[in-house]
Amino acid sequence: MRRLSLLVAAAGLMMSVAAVAADQPAGFWATPTIAGYGKIHYLPNAAYKPVADQTYKIVFSLTQGAKSPDQVNPSLDHVARTVNLYVAAGVPLDHLKFVAVAAGAATPLVLNDAQYRAAYGIPNPNLPLIAKLRAAGVDVAVCGQAVAEHQFQYGWVDPHVTLSLSALTTITTLEHQGYGLMQM
């Protein structure tokens, strides 16, 4: 009986979420800079908006893997969301100094397409996003120690990804240079 009531409650919650999503008008979510990734709903009168004439330096520590190999890594998608939010607030791309460094469970997102196909049987879904982030000036890097720990060869890393000594040294070096750390 308890299980049935839990199932009924869960179904009701899912229907409520679906009803709220259905009420959102077309164009509610946008991807203004990194097209197709990092969707945002911009709030022009929100508090704590970035200031357009300042430069923002952020190092993103990407350590979570995707739920399945056919999905874009959600932490990488959040980097795109961050770009979209700052640009939507009026900050020019050249005022964004962003570095995203993958390590731990996020390491496979940097594999070139051939190696990703060999490991997972599908093309790497992260590579189109990495290309768009690079075009927007975001440096996507990988921890060289994590590459070794995953028993990947360094030549398997996509050429659009920066191979760093380690996430530890990348993050601390960039923090020493004034970057804020955002853990994902």
Side-chain angles (χ1 to χ4, degrees):
M1 189 65 161
R2 178 178 161 95
R3 182 179 286 175
L4 178 60
S5 62
L6 286 174
L7 287 172
V8 169
L13 178 62
M14 289 181 357
M15 288 174 28
S16 296
V17 169
V20 169
D23 288 341
Q24 295 173 343
F28 184 85
W29 293 107
T31 56
T33 305
I34 309 295
Y37 300 96
K39 67 181 182 179
I40 65 168
H41 175 69
Y42 190 67
L43 303 167
N45 297 319
Y48 304 111
K49 290 187 344 185
V51 179
D53 66 349
Q54 293 186 11
T55 297
Y56 294 88
K57 296 164 61 171
I58 302 172
V59 56
F60 299 86
S61 176
L62 313 180
T63 59
Q64 302 300 313
K67 290 184 181 178
S68 68
D70 64 333
Q71 295 179 345
V72 169
N73 182 287
S75 297
L76 192 63
D77 190 66
H78 275 78
V79 175
R81 175 177 277 181
T82 307
V83 172
N84 286 332
L85 286 165
Y86 275 84
V87 174
V91 179
L93 280 175
D94 64 352
H95 284 74
L96 302 179
K97 308 302 179 199
F98 289 177
V99 177
V101 59
T107 305
L109 74 86
V110 305
L111 289 174
N112 65 39
D113 208 45
Q115 294 305 320
Y116 201 91
R117 282 179 192 269
Y120 303 106
I122 57 171
N124 186 340
N126 299 289
L127 295 181
L129 176 52
I130 290 171
K132 289 182 179 192
L133 288 168
R134 295 293 274 188
V138 177
D139 183 16
V140 178
V142 65
C143 170
Q145 306 310 301
V147 171
E149 288 171 351
H150 279 80
Q151 299 180 350
F152 297 154
Q153 294 180 19
Y154 294 115
W156 296 357
V157 174
D158 188 79
H160 298 100
V161 174
T162 302
L163 179 61
S164 72
L165 174 60
S166 71
L168 298 170
T169 58
T170 300
I171 291 167
T172 56
T173 297
L174 292 173
E175 284 183 314
H176 188 72
Q177 296 173 12
Y179 281 69
L181 172 61
M182 179 136 346
Q183 295 183 357
M184 309 289 243

